[in-house]
Amino acid sequence: MENPYINDNTNAPSALDNAINDAVENLPFVPENFNSAGFIKGLIIGGIAAYILTNPKAQECVFKAIVKGGALINAGIEELKERFEDVKAELESQK
């Protein structure tokens, strides 16, 4: 039984994929069944990964961003704990 309200477009290519594949469609050295968009995305992701893995300055920036993000998450958790304790104390004072 299929749900008519759910569109299953998981295999549909995006507009960017279609644009890339259309752009390289007429190049003579690209086969017809070659997924150019996937190849170009892989090149970009691989290039970024290689740059980060081989450049100490880039690694330092990534690690700093991770540490700052962790600090923000910890601050948010502490704030939630404080709010929880405030509500708990307020409920106890109403008894």
Side-chain angles (χ1 to χ4, degrees), residues 2-65:
E2 287 188 35
N3 188 338
Y5 299 106
I6 297 176
N7 294 328
D8 186 19
N9 293 332
T10 55
N11 295 331
S14 68
L16 177 63
D17 290 350
N18 287 335
I20 292 171
N21 286 329
D22 291 343
V24 298
E25 182 178 297
N26 296 326
L27 295 176
F29 52 86
V30 178
E32 288 181 26
N33 61 350
F34 186 70
N35 183 3
S36 302
F39 182 73
I40 290 173
K41 287 179 192 176
L43 280 177
I44 292 170
I45 292 170
I48 291 170
Y51 177 75
I52 290 173
L53 291 173
T54 59
N55 189 330
K57 282 269 197 194
Q59 292 172 5
E60 185 179 329
C61 288
V62 168
F63 293 144
K64 282 182 182 179

Side-chain angles (χ1 to χ4, degrees), residues 65-80:
I66 291 171
V67 168
K68 286 181 183 179
L72 287 174
I73 290 172
N74 286 338
I77 290 171
E78 291 300 321
E79 180 66 26
L80 286 175

